[in-house]
Amino acid sequence: MDTQLWAPHVTVAAIVEHGQQFLLVEERTPHGPRLNQPAGHLEPGETLLEAVVRETLEETGQVFTPQALVGVYVAQFERGHGVPATYVRFTYCGTASHDPVPRKLDPDILRTVWLSADAVRAQASRHRTPLVLRCIEDYLAGRRYPLEFVQSHPAAPR
């Protein structure tokens, strides 16, 4: 593998619990509909907190307020043709607005769903990645790190 071309994908995910139910999205994937937390890629110039707020809004219409970092996860998945892809996922927990902002959701989002932890566990075969359940289990185990755990610094002038 040519390591000069290798670069991990930085992603964010939001865990929102309300009334013992978790906010998930059902999204269109090449493998059919899958369940995931509101999640997506960090975009140029964004902080991780800005990215998780944006992704949650784009995928659910809900305004997300991060309260803590649940964990940082590194996973490798094959993307086809034997080519691995590495993802570094920063998962945050927090609250979301009760009334969605009227807006069109990302085109790959089929719908939002609220599921209990048991329902999430029961549908593990439909998860986008094994990280969906792992992040919820870590959240339920009480794993929380302060938002300041990850520092963002402005880009240096060129």
Side-chain angles (χ1 to χ4, degrees):
M1 179 167 93
D2 185 352
T3 57
Q4 290 183 6
L5 299 177
W6 179 83
H9 301 267
V10 177
T11 62
V12 294
I15 293 180
V16 178
E17 180 189 19
H18 182 73
Q20 299 183 334
Q21 303 276 309
F22 291 92
L23 176 62
L24 297 176
V25 295
E26 185 175 45
E27 58 188 346
R28 187 177 294 112
T29 76
H31 306 289
R34 295 288 187 254
L35 294 170
N36 198 5
Q37 281 97 10
H41 292 265
L42 179 69
E43 292 185 356
E46 269 185 327
T47 67
L48 292 165
L49 292 176
E50 290 167 343
V52 74
V53 169
R54 175 187 50 77
E55 286 289 350
T56 304
L57 180 63
E58 290 176 355
E59 294 191 356
T60 70
Q62 306 252 349
V63 177
F64 179 66
T65 303
Q67 295 176 323
L69 176 69
V70 174
V72 179
Y73 306 84
V74 178
Q76 288 195 355
F77 301 101
E78 186 175 320
R79 296 191 69 176
H81 309 294
V83 178
T86 302
Y87 291 84
V88 180
R89 181 190 232 209
F90 292 80
T91 300
Y92 292 91
C93 63
T95 60
S97 57
H98 294 287
D99 297 318
V101 174
R103 63 176 285 130
K104 188 173 182 175
L105 302 181
D106 277 357
D108 288 334
I109 301 302
L110 300 171
R111 65 186 177 121
T112 60
V113 294
W114 289 91
L115 298 174
S116 68
D118 286 339
V120 172
R121 290 180 190 109
Q123 296 188 55
S125 65
R126 295 191 59 229
H127 294 177
R128 178 81 187 247
T129 78
L131 294 179
V132 173
L133 183 56
R134 173 63 193 269
C135 293
I136 288 176
E137 296 292 6
D138 286 351
Y139 170 83
L140 290 170
R143 290 195 172 77
R144 307 284 191 285
Y145 302 94
L147 295 176
E148 297 79 20
F149 186 80
V150 177
Q151 295 292 312
S152 294
H153 299 281
R158 292 184 179 194

